[in-house]
Amino acid sequence: MILRRIALPLAVTVLAAVAVPVPAVADTVRDQQWHLDFMHVTEAQRISQGEGVLVAVADTGVEASVPELAGAVIPGKDFGGNTGDGRHDPQGHGTAMAALIAGRGRGGDKGVLGIAPKATILPIQLSPDFDFAMGYARDVAAAIDYAVSQGAKVICLSVGSGDNQSVRAAIQKALDADVVVVAAAGNKPDVGSVDFPARVPGVVAVGAVDRNGERAAISVAGPELTLVAPGVDIAAVDAAGRTRTGTGTSDANALVVGAVALIRARYPQLKGPDVVRRLTETALDKGEPGKDPVYGYGVIDLVKALTADVPPALTSASPSPSAAPGNGGSGRTAAVIAAIGAAVVVMVFIAVLQTILRGRRRRP
C-alpha cells in the first residue's frame, strides 16, 4: 500500500492509502497473496491462528460486512466525529489492514487470508477524510486509551504525524498495561526517517521488503526501525469487498500485527516485551550484522517466532530493587560474596587453631 502524506495545519499529517483495485477473481486471490508463501503462513497457522487475541485497529474504520471479515469484527468506537461503532469504513484503508491481520477467506482456499484468522478485530475509527488538524493527535491518543480499556493485546497504528506528548503518554500507558503497540515506519518520499508514533521507544516500528526480501524502495530507514515484513504488491480487500493490491509500510505493519496475535495466542503467559523479543531474536538478519537502520533486527520469520527456544529477557524476571541495574545491585552482590569468603577463611583458621591446641594438650 502506498502511503501518501497529506499536508495539514500545524504540521499534523496522516498516512493515507493509495491502492490499486484488482478484479475479484476468488480462485486467484491466494496466488496474488505472495507474502503467504514468503512468510510460511500455512505452516505457522498449524501452530497458532490467533485464537482469543483482541487486536485493535485504529484507522479509518473496518467494514464488517466484507465476507473475509465475517464474524471477526466486534463493535468498537468512532473518534472521527460520527456516531457509529467503527464497523464502517468509507475510505478502505482500515478494512485492508484488518483483512491482512485476521481475514478468514471466503470458504476453502478462496478470498483474502489474514495472518491470524481466528483473532478478533476491535475497530477504532479515526477521521476517514484525513482532515484531522488540531484534533488528530487527541483522537489518536483517545483511540489508544480506548483499545487498552477494552482489553486489546496488540494495537495496529498505520498513521503518522508530528510528535505529540498526549500520544506518547497514551502509548506508554498501553505498554505499561502489557499491550504490544505496532506502527508503520513511514514511506519515502513523504518522510525521510522513521515517523511518529513508530519512533516512540517501546513501539515496534515496521519497515517493508519486496518479494526478494530486500528493502522496499518506499521504506524509510532509521535507528528506531525494529523489523521488516513484506510490503510490496500486497493483496488485501477494500471496503467494497474488492481485492486490491497495495505497497507501503502500512501493509507490512499489518502483517507484523498478525504475527503478534499468533504469538500471544500460542504463549498467553508471555509479557509484551518477550512477545516482541520472540520476533526480534528469530528474525532473519539482513544488512549489517545485528540491528541496523535499514532492516532493524531483520525480516520477520513466523515459524521460528512460534517455535524457537527464546529465553525471556532478564528484565522480565522483575529483579528486586537491590539487584536492579543502576541501583548498585552488582556492587552489593560482590560485597556479600567477599564477606562470605572472609567468614570461611576465619572459620578455617579457627578450626586449624583448635586442632593445634588439642594436639598440644595431648603431648606428654
Side-chain angles (χ1 to χ4, degrees):
M1 177 170 295
I2 299 174
L3 302 181
R4 177 172 298 157
R5 180 169 293 276
I6 310 298
L8 294 171
L10 302 181
V12 175
T13 53
V14 65
L15 299 180
V18 178
V20 180
V22 175
V25 182
D27 57 353
T28 63
V29 170
R30 297 290 171 86
D31 293 335
Q32 295 174 41
Q33 290 192 281
W34 65 267
H35 66 274
L36 298 179
D37 288 336
F38 182 94
M39 299 175 72
H40 304 289
V41 170
T42 299
E43 185 178 353
Q45 289 182 352
R46 293 193 187 106
I47 303 167
S48 174
Q49 295 191 25
E51 301 92 331
V53 178
L54 183 62
V55 179
V57 177
D59 212 289
T60 59
V62 176
E63 193 61 59
S65 63
V66 170
E68 279 87 343
L69 292 171
V73 186
I74 64 172
K77 192 166 183 177
D78 182 358
F79 289 94
N82 300 310
T83 58
D85 60 8
R87 291 184 293 179
H88 176 59
D89 183 8
Q91 199 276 341
H93 186 271
T95 302
M97 299 303 100
L100 290 173
I101 297 166
R104 300 179 177 182
R106 300 193 179 201
D109 59 353
K110 298 179 179 179
V112 171
L113 180 67
I115 301 297
K118 291 188 178 179
T120 301
I121 299 294
L122 177 70
I124 305 177
Q125 188 172 9
L126 302 172
S127 177
D129 57 5
F130 305 110
D131 187 18
F132 297 125
M134 293 180 62
Y136 168 62
R138 178 194 63 223
D139 292 345
V140 171
I144 295 170
D145 287 341
Y146 175 75
V148 174
S149 73
Q150 298 303 300
K153 301 304 292 181
V154 55
I155 300 175
C156 177
L157 294 174
S158 291
V159 295
S161 76
D163 205 328
N164 180 271
Q165 189 55 43
S166 64
V167 176
R168 283 182 176 270
I171 288 173
Q172 189 57 56
K173 286 192 290 185
L175 297 175
D176 292 343
D178 195 37
V179 180
V180 178
V181 181
V182 188
N187 297 339
K188 298 186 298 184
D190 299 316
V191 292
S193 59
V194 176
D195 206 0
F196 181 87
R199 66 171 178 260
V200 175
V203 173
V204 179
V206 181
V209 293
D210 60 20
R211 294 171 184 259
N212 298 316
E214 301 299 326
R215 176 191 181 187
I218 50 81
S219 188
V220 299
E224 304 90 348
L225 195 65
T226 309
L227 289 164
V228 290
V232 175
D233 297 331
I234 304 300
V237 63
D238 63 17
R242 299 170 301 188
T243 305
R244 87 342 161 224
T245 59
T247 294
T249 56
S250 269
D251 299 79
N253 186 60
L255 300 181
V256 173
V257 169
V260 172
L262 294 185
I263 295 172
R264 301 220 83 159
R266 176 152 172 84
Y267 301 101
Q269 79 284 1
L270 281 188
K271 297 298 184 181
D274 284 325
V275 171
V276 177
R277 180 176 170 81
R278 277 199 158 268
L279 290 171
T280 58
E281 288 290 308
T282 60
L284 174 62
D285 193 12
K286 297 277 290 186
E288 299 174 6
K291 188 175 186 293
D292 68 74
V294 176
Y295 295 97
Y297 287 97
V299 183
I300 186 172
D301 188 322
L302 272 185
V303 177
K304 283 187 178 181
L306 290 168
T307 60
D309 182 12
V310 180
L314 294 178
T315 54
S316 67
S318 300
S320 62
S322 62
N327 289 329
S330 59
R332 278 189 285 273
T333 300
V336 171
I337 293 174
I340 293 173
V344 171
V345 171
V346 170
M347 292 172 65
V348 171
F349 175 78
I350 292 173
V352 172
L353 182 60
Q354 288 175 340
T355 300
I356 294 173
L357 291 175
R358 284 196 298 269
R360 286 178 177 177
R361 285 195 294 270
R362 285 195 293 270
R363 287 178 182 175

